[in-house]
């Protein structure tokens, strides 16, 4: 039985196969309509979500399966003191696969260690968000045509943004990838990530100004400042609008640069940018359904004949 805790749990070759399946799903959706008949997905979300939970549920419904779960820790027996380990033991009696989001780093890993069914980390604190990474990689691979030879700017809250940490982890496996980290001093990418990049001889720069590096980017990955992970409101208010991507900044970017954002967006991308063909964050959310369908099939060991 396999789980997905970290994007590196899958080899680059396995990810390629997953993306090929996701592409086939996009083009031949009806072929997959009964693939998970009789199977159930449990979504156990101890933290708020729109995209991840609903795209998992849409993915299982598209596959002909069913869904159950909770979207708020307050409506689960966690409020009575039940542990994550006991909860997943119970969920294993009710469902075939589980997607879990939790505010505590490592909680889905604890669940996986005792689970009777595959567990997917749907985001654990400020740590990892592997299915967002699969979505991001599929978006880049599909719309840019490659995952190598890329200069990727990551902008905003690089300290608390788990999608950023997961994406960097996954991208370092591809050739000729270079990172530009754009953040205020307080929200710099954690040292463990820059140490890892140094160890692997992967080029990176850290800058504070977005404008100056726009002309060099293949991909701009915008992120919101993670209000829920700040210890005080004053710091959040001071930093929340540090970067706002607008039309004037987009005019500095190459014509084929792509703007991704895991969403939700707050103020960091002006709505004026939404009509720019380089703004692909809504398309990215759609790819999230295909890639989660492919992931469910892979973890359940289900193949669909062509
Ligand atoms: N991208 C993402 O994780 O969005 P949600 O928090 O809405 O699931």
């Amino acid at each position: 039985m396999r789980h997905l805790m970290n994007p590196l749990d899958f080899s680059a070759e396995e990810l390629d196969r997953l993306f090929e399946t996701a592409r086939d799903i996009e083009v031949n959706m009806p072929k997959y309509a009964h693939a998970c008949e009789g199977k159930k997905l449990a979504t156990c979300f101890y933290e708020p979500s729109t995209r991840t939970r609903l795209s998992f549920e849409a993915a299982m419904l598209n596959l002909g399966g069913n869904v159950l779960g909770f979207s708020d820790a307050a409506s689960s027996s966690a409020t009575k003191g039940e542990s994550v380990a006991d909860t997943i033991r119970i969920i294993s009696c009710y469902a075939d696969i589980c997607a879990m989001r939790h505010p505590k780093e490592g909680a889905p890993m604890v669940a996986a260690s005792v689970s009777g069914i595959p567990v997917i980390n749907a985001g654990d604190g400020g740590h990892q968000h592997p299915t967002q990474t699969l979505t991001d990689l599929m978006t880049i691979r599909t719309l840019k045509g490659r995952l190598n030879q890329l200069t990727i700017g990551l902008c905003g809250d690089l300290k608390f943004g788990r999608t950023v940490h997961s994406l960097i982890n996954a991208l370092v496996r591809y050739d000729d990838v270079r990172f530009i980290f754009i953040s205020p001093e307080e929200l710099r990418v954690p040292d463990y990530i820059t140490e890892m990049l140094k160890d692997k001889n992967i080029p990176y720069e850290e800058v504070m100004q977005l404008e100056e590096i726009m002309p060099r980017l293949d991909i701009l990955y915008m992120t919101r400042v993670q209000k829920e992970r700040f210890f005080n409101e004053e710091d959040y208010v001071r930093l929340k609008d540090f970067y706002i991507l607008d039309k004037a900044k987009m005019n500095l970017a190459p014509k084929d640069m792509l703007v991704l954002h895991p969403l939700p967006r707050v103020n960091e991308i002006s709505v004026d940018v939404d009509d720019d063909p380089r703004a692909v964050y809504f398309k990215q959310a759609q790819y999230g359904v295909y890639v989660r369908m492919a992931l469910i099939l892979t973890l359940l060991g289900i193949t669909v004949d062509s």
Side-chain angles (χ1 to χ4, degrees):
M1 186 174 55
R2 278 188 94 170
H3 308 283
L4 179 70
M5 294 294 118
N6 181 312
L8 299 185
D9 291 348
F10 281 18
S11 68
E13 293 72 28
E14 285 175 317
L15 284 188
D16 264 348
R17 282 201 290 278
L18 189 94
F19 296 139
E20 286 303 318
T21 304
R23 285 291 284 163
D24 192 55
I25 287 169
E26 180 184 4
V27 179
N28 298 303
M29 184 71 91
K31 195 171 98 182
Y32 293 86
H34 304 286
C36 283
E37 249 166 28
K39 302 285 185 194
K40 292 193 271 301
L41 165 78
T43 50
C44 299
F45 277 58
Y46 294 83
E47 239 191 9
S49 167
T50 296
R51 269 146 299 276
T52 311
R53 186 173 64 82
L54 295 181
S55 65
F56 261 117
E57 295 191 359
M60 192 48 147
L61 294 172
N62 288 343
L63 291 165
N66 287 300
V67 296
L68 67 163
F70 54 87
S71 57
D72 179 2
S75 66
S76 79
S77 287
T79 51
K80 302 174 202 161
E82 187 167 52
S83 68
V84 164
D86 281 1
T87 301
I88 195 68
R89 284 188 179 101
I90 301 306
I91 299 289
S92 299
C93 306
Y94 304 155
D96 301 283
I97 186 165
C98 173
M100 178 180 287
R101 172 171 287 188
H102 202 286
K104 286 207 177 118
E105 284 86 355
M109 207 172 297
V110 170
S113 70
V114 296
S115 178
I117 58 175
V119 177
I120 301 167
N121 178 3
D124 62 327
H127 186 221
Q128 296 279 332
H129 191 346
T131 61
Q132 182 63 48
T133 300
L134 301 186
T135 302
D136 301 340
L137 293 179
M138 180 170 172
T139 305
I140 298 170
R141 187 182 188 268
T142 306
L143 300 179
K144 205 73 188 165
R146 62 183 195 276
L147 287 169
N148 55 9
Q149 296 178 317
L150 292 170
T151 299
I152 299 143
L154 297 112
C155 177
D157 184 348
L158 309 187
K159 178 179 179 184
F160 296 117
R162 59 192 172 198
T163 63
V164 167
H165 307 158
S166 274
L167 183 59
I168 298 168
N169 246 348
L171 279 168
V172 297
R173 295 199 291 198
Y174 299 94
D175 293 334
D176 296 329
V177 168
R178 159 186 301 272
F179 295 101
I180 305 182
F181 300 131
I182 310 126
S183 74
E185 181 64 27
E186 293 96 324
L187 298 178
R188 283 174 55 195
V189 73
D191 289 345
Y192 80 88
I193 289 187
T194 50
E195 289 305 320
M196 179 269 291
L197 295 176
K198 280 182 210 155
D199 285 350
K200 293 181 185 292
N201 279 324
I202 293 170
Y204 73 90
E205 296 165 52
E206 293 186 272
V207 301
M208 275 179 65
Q209 292 300 320
L210 182 54
E211 291 86 339
E212 69 191 45
I213 51 81
M214 286 292 275
R216 295 167 50 202
L217 299 179
D218 296 306
I219 305 289
L220 174 60
Y221 193 89
M222 293 296 295
T223 63
R224 86 186 154 92
V225 175
Q226 304 267 307
K227 181 179 186 183
E228 63 275 33
R229 315 227 184 270
F230 272 73
F231 292 112
N232 72 69
E233 177 83 9
E234 201 179 300
D235 284 349
Y236 170 70
V237 169
R238 184 167 52 80
L239 294 168
K240 71 184 172 69
D241 293 330
F242 205 90
Y243 299 105
I244 299 179
L245 180 66
D246 55 17
K247 276 194 168 172
K249 293 192 188 78
M250 287 298 285
N251 286 338
L252 303 171
K255 296 216 172 328
D256 61 350
M257 185 194 79
L258 298 179
V259 183
L260 277 72
H261 191 312
L263 305 177
R265 156 178 61 186
V266 186
N267 280 331
E268 59 282 354
I269 301 180
S270 160
V271 291
D272 297 354
V273 174
D274 294 354
D275 292 336
D276 189 308
R278 295 169 292 180
V280 298
Y281 27 89
F282 295 121
K283 207 176 271 186
Q284 183 184 353
Q286 179 65 54
Y287 285 133
V289 177
Y290 307 136
V291 92
R292 289 183 174 99
M293 288 172 72
L295 177 65
I296 290 169
L297 291 174
T298 303
L299 292 180
L300 289 178
I302 295 171
T303 49
V304 175
D305 295 332
S306 49

